[in-house]
Tab-separated table of all heavy atoms in Angstrom:
chain	number	residue	atom	x	y	z
A	4	GLN	N	0.497	7.533	0.533
A	4	GLN	CA	-0.646	8.433	0.478
A	4	GLN	C	-1.935	7.700	0.784
A	4	GLN	O	-2.805	8.203	1.528
A	4	GLN	CB	-0.721	9.092	-0.908
A	4	GLN	CG	-1.519	10.396	-0.921
A	4	GLN	CD	-0.922	11.463	-0.004
A	4	GLN	OE1	0.282	11.600	0.092
A	4	GLN	NE2	-1.800	12.195	0.674
A	22	ASP	N	-13.088	-7.472	18.439
A	22	ASP	CA	-12.365	-8.672	18.844
A	22	ASP	C	-11.990	-8.494	20.309
A	22	ASP	O	-11.222	-7.590	20.651
A	22	ASP	CB	-11.117	-8.836	17.973
A	22	ASP	CG	-10.405	-10.154	18.218
A	22	ASP	OD1	-10.987	-11.202	17.895
A	22	ASP	OD2	-9.265	-10.138	18.734
A	23	THR	N	-12.523	-9.324	21.216
A	23	THR	CA	-12.463	-9.036	22.633
A	23	THR	C	-12.277	-10.276	23.508
A	23	THR	O	-12.953	-11.286	23.309
A	23	THR	CB	-13.752	-8.296	23.077
A	23	THR	OG1	-13.869	-8.328	24.506
A	23	THR	CG2	-15.009	-8.931	22.496
A	24	ASP	N	-11.373	-10.174	24.483
A	24	ASP	CA	-11.213	-11.218	25.509
A	24	ASP	C	-12.085	-10.829	26.710
A	24	ASP	O	-11.599	-10.529	27.792
A	24	ASP	CB	-9.742	-11.411	25.899
A	24	ASP	CG	-9.068	-10.137	26.377
A	24	ASP	OD1	-9.646	-9.036	26.201
A	24	ASP	OD2	-7.959	-10.226	26.935
A	75	HIS	N	-22.201	-12.996	25.183
A	75	HIS	CA	-23.631	-13.267	25.157
A	75	HIS	C	-24.325	-12.701	26.398
A	75	HIS	O	-25.447	-12.192	26.314
A	75	HIS	CB	-23.888	-14.770	25.044
A	75	HIS	CG	-23.688	-15.311	23.674
A	75	HIS	ND1	-22.462	-15.710	23.182
A	75	HIS	CD2	-24.570	-15.500	22.645
A	75	HIS	CE1	-22.588	-16.140	21.937
A	75	HIS	NE2	-23.864	-16.018	21.589
A	127	TYR	N	-13.872	-1.484	9.861
A	127	TYR	CA	-13.036	-1.157	11.013
A	127	TYR	C	-13.033	-2.326	11.987
A	127	TYR	O	-14.088	-2.850	12.353
A	127	TYR	CB	-13.526	0.132	11.684
A	127	TYR	CG	-13.203	1.348	10.847
A	127	TYR	CD1	-14.042	1.727	9.788
A	127	TYR	CD2	-12.043	2.081	11.073
A	127	TYR	CE1	-13.724	2.822	8.987
A	127	TYR	CE2	-11.733	3.185	10.283
A	127	TYR	CZ	-12.575	3.539	9.252
A	127	TYR	OH	-12.264	4.628	8.453
A	179	ARG	N	3.549	-8.967	15.834
A	179	ARG	CA	4.535	-8.685	14.775
A	179	ARG	C	3.889	-8.738	13.392
A	179	ARG	O	4.249	-7.977	12.498
A	179	ARG	CB	5.705	-9.664	14.886
A	179	ARG	CG	6.609	-9.381	16.090
A	179	ARG	CD	7.593	-10.506	16.339
A	179	ARG	NE	8.548	-10.675	15.252
A	179	ARG	CZ	9.713	-10.024	15.164
A	179	ARG	NH1	10.060	-9.137	16.089
A	179	ARG	NH2	10.541	-10.246	14.156
A	192	PRO	N	-1.707	2.557	23.039
A	192	PRO	CA	-0.796	1.928	23.992
A	192	PRO	C	-1.372	1.959	25.407
A	192	PRO	O	-2.032	2.922	25.801
A	192	PRO	CB	0.474	2.784	23.892
A	192	PRO	CG	0.285	3.640	22.677
A	192	PRO	CD	-1.178	3.811	22.519
A	195	GLY	N	1.242	4.153	30.181
A	195	GLY	CA	1.794	5.410	29.723
A	195	GLY	C	0.868	6.232	28.871
A	195	GLY	O	1.142	7.408	28.624
A	221	LEU	N	-22.263	-3.928	35.659
A	221	LEU	CA	-20.962	-3.300	35.485
A	221	LEU	C	-20.466	-2.675	36.786
A	221	LEU	O	-19.289	-2.792	37.134
A	221	LEU	CB	-21.039	-2.248	34.383
A	221	LEU	CG	-21.297	-2.745	32.960
A	221	LEU	CD1	-21.452	-1.568	32.006
A	221	LEU	CD2	-20.181	-3.659	32.489
A	251	LEU	N	-13.049	5.665	17.247
A	251	LEU	CA	-13.921	5.565	16.086
A	251	LEU	C	-15.047	6.594	16.084
A	251	LEU	O	-15.708	6.801	15.068
A	251	LEU	CB	-14.553	4.160	16.023
A	251	LEU	CG	-13.591	2.990	15.855
A	251	LEU	CD1	-14.320	1.685	16.104
A	251	LEU	CD2	-12.961	2.998	14.476
Side-chain angles (χ1 to χ4, degrees):
Q4 202 61 38
D22 187 66
T23 164
D24 56 347
H75 283 85
Y127 287 83
R179 288 169 65 88
L221 294 175
L251 297 168

